[in-house]
Amino acid sequence: MQQNSIIKITFDDLAVIKVGNNTRLPLAKLDASSHIHGALLINIGNRFVPYMGYWGANDVCLCEWIGELERIRHEFKSSVQARYCFDEGEQGQPAFLFEREGEIMYLSIIDSAISDGEGDDDWQKVGFSYREFISEYEAFYKRFSAELQRLAMRALTLFHHSCQGTKPNATNAKSKGDMVGIEV
C-alpha cells in the first residue's frame, strides 16, 4: 500500500476514430458511429496511470472511461467502503480496481478476469484522496466538454447523446445516474 497522493486528471490529443478505421480525424468529423479517442492522463503522486490506451497512450476511448469514472463517482458517493473494478479486457488490457476506504481511495492494476491482461506490481493500492478524485473528475469533465464545444459543437452534442443518453444538466442530473451537471 502506498501513501496518499495528489491526483490530477487531464486529457490531450483528442481525435475521432470511426468504427472499423483507426485513422485519427478532427472532432468535427464525429458522427453517431464514431468515438472520441485521446490521451486520458490520470496522474497520482507524479506517476501517470499506465495501460490506459489500447494502441498507445493517445488511444483511450474517452466515452468508455468517462462512463467508468462517472460510475465510480456514483457508486462511491453512497458508501465509505466500496470497490469498483473496470475490466474491459480488450487487447489484453489489465483490470483497474478502485477502492474507497473512508476518505482515501486506492487504485490497483490487477490481472484481468476476462483476458490475458496482467496486473502491475508497482500499481497496487496506490492511494489518493476521495474528495480530490471527485473534484478532479468534475473539473476534468467540465474542461473536456468545454474543449469539445470549442472545437466542434456538434461533437459535444453527439458525445453527450451517445455516451450518456442525454445532455446532463441540473434538471436531469439525479435521474440520469447523477451525472456532473453541465449545461451546454
Side-chain angles (χ1 to χ4, degrees), residues 2 42-49 122-124 126:
Q2 298 187 11
I42 301 176
N43 186 315
I44 303 172
N46 294 319
R47 296 189 310 152
F48 287 101
V49 175
D122 291 333
W123 282 88
Q124 300 303 306
V126 176

Side-chain angles (χ1 to χ4, degrees), residues 12 19 37 45 52 70 75 88 126 140 154 157 172 179:
D12 193 21
V19 174
H37 283 223
M52 299 293 293
E70 184 59 36
E75 292 292 321
E88 186 177 32
V126 176
F140 155 80
R154 182 171 175 269
T157 303
N172 67 18
M179 296 295 292

Side-chain angles (χ1 to χ4, degrees), residues 131-184:
R131 291 184 195 280
E132 280 186 21
F133 167 77
I134 297 302
S135 176
E136 273 299 307
Y137 169 70
E138 290 174 354
F140 155 80
Y141 190 82
K142 287 177 185 175
R143 289 188 310 268
F144 179 76
S145 293
E147 183 71 359
L148 292 187
Q149 185 175 13
R150 184 183 75 76
L151 294 173
M153 185 58 188
R154 182 171 175 269
L156 177 63
T157 303
L158 283 168
F159 175 80
H160 284 301
H161 177 71
S162 66
C163 294
Q164 296 145 352
T166 186
K167 181 175 70 174
N169 63 39
T171 305
N172 67 18
K174 296 293 182 204
S175 65
K176 290 294 180 184
D178 198 25
M179 296 295 292
V180 175
I182 298 172
E183 185 65 54
V184 183

Side-chain angles (χ1 to χ4, degrees), residues 10-21:
T10 59
F11 62 89
D12 193 21
D13 197 20
L14 299 179
V16 167
I17 304 293
K18 301 276 186 178
V19 174
N21 182 353

